[in-house]
Amino acid sequence: MALTPSAKGTVPFREFRTWYRVTGELHRGRPALVAVHGGPGATHDYLVGLAAFAEHGWPVVHYDQLGNGGSTHLPERGADFWTVRLFLDELDNLLERLGIADGYVLFGQSWGGMLAARHAADRPPGLRGLVVANAPASYRLWLEEMEVLRARLPPGVNETLLRHEAAGTTASEEYQTAMMVFYDKHVCRLDPWPREYLATLMETSNDPTVYHAMNGPSEFHVIGTLKDWSVTGVLPDIDVPTLVISGRHDEATPRTVRPYHDLIPGARWEIFEDSSHAPHLEEPDRFGTLMLDFLGGLDTTATEG
């Protein structure tokens, strides 16, 4: 039986608030596993299953990044406000406010994986391990691979997408329907989609401010401020044990993920053969076994004392 969250609330961040939830007990042995969700502009909901690791002695921290979920919404802010530095600062603030900056593990998924890697490259002394799940190392690589994946869609689908992207009508029902063909193949292959995954999609749809500003109208049409962002150049600076995860059918293709494996010293890369962009939902048993194996191999003596 999953543990009941032991604490939740918000912490101040600048003049805003960051929502968080803790499952398990902090400061009672093993370092916290902090879940950094994707998007940008999504929520923690689709990663809620990570709370199960608290049953194995790893307290788990979920949070909603600024702009969505339980954190402060700022629909009036323009693209210049929503920066990578903003979200790095928010993560640093959360770690300090929860008193776990001296001992924690990061699990970053999709955009959250890039954010977590960039955080890790600064070599924070309390970071004990890093999991980069389904994350490209470069948005330029991502966009190149999107063209490859889109070209393989059923006849007519990509043509529909391209027509609406050129016309600026990506909110149309026809575009949304064509978009789902891609999502069903490369984002989540489960049918039906899990409730926690749908919850995140609904939250993002309810307030797409951050997603539209930094990403764009869809996973594969990145025209926001992140379109040229990459963490490739800082990956060699990461000096903690790193597990890299991706799915065989992932929109984060092997070409976009490989830099993590090749450039982070000693990084381990595991591909889930029956998954796309959400192995934690698509192959939960293997995911749980792999995570516990990785976590069990970390040096946590500085935290456990």
Side-chain angles (χ1 to χ4, degrees), residues 24-262:
E25 294 188 59
L26 301 177
H27 319 298
R28 288 293 185 94
R30 289 172 171 166
L33 176 65
V34 181
V36 186
H37 66 70
T43 63
H44 79 285
D45 299 88
Y46 76 105
L47 296 177
V48 71
L50 295 177
F53 293 112
E55 299 176 52
H56 301 274
W58 299 89
V60 178
V61 176
H62 288 91
Y63 76 104
D64 287 335
Q65 294 163 24
L66 190 67
N68 218 325
S71 296
T72 304
H73 290 232
L74 297 160
E76 73 284 358
R77 297 298 178 109
D80 59 335
F81 176 79
W82 303 105
T83 64
V84 173
R85 174 46 55 189
L86 173 74
F87 292 104
L88 288 170
D89 290 348
E90 182 185 33
L91 176 56
D92 287 340
N93 180 73
L94 179 72
L95 298 171
E96 291 290 341
R97 294 282 183 174
L98 295 182
I100 58 175
D102 61 345
Y104 61 98
V105 178
L106 285 186
F107 178 94
Q109 201 275 338
S110 196
W111 136 264
M114 296 183 75
L115 191 68
R118 183 62 191 83
H119 172 93
D122 288 336
R123 299 190 175 184
L127 183 62
R128 302 284 178 259
L130 171 67
V131 182
V132 177
N134 317 101
S138 157
Y139 273 99
R140 288 187 178 182
L141 280 178
W142 174 274
L143 284 170
E144 290 173 8
E145 289 296 281
M146 288 303 104
E147 291 187 14
V148 175
L149 296 179
R150 288 172 60 149
R152 296 174 182 166
L153 294 173
V157 174
N158 196 32
E159 289 75 10
T160 298
L161 295 170
L162 289 170
R163 184 174 72 254
H164 284 287
E165 288 164 2
T169 52
T170 54
S172 70
E173 184 177 350
E174 187 179 34
Y175 184 87
Q176 297 296 313
T177 299
M179 182 180 75
M180 291 304 297
V181 177
F182 180 96
Y183 280 39
D184 285 339
K185 287 175 64 69
H186 300 299
V187 180
C188 184
R189 294 166 64 85
L190 297 176
D191 184 15
W193 282 352
R195 183 172 58 182
E196 58 265 44
Y197 183 67
L198 290 171
T200 285
L201 291 181
M202 290 177 64
E203 290 273 13
T204 307
S205 178
N206 286 340
D207 187 349
T209 303
V210 184
Y211 189 76
H212 285 173
M214 298 184 75
N215 189 83
S218 68
E219 293 291 278
F220 46 78
H221 189 47
V222 180
I223 56 175
T225 57
L226 290 179
K227 64 181 184 297
D228 296 317
W229 188 49
S230 172
V231 296
T232 303
V234 301
L235 295 181
D237 297 330
I238 296 175
D239 65 348
V240 294
T242 301
L243 172 64
V244 182
I245 292 171
S246 65
R248 179 62 65 191
H249 310 281
D250 207 329
E251 59 179 346
T253 66
R255 182 169 174 244
T256 70
V257 173
R258 182 169 297 281
Y260 293 106
H261 175 262
D262 292 351

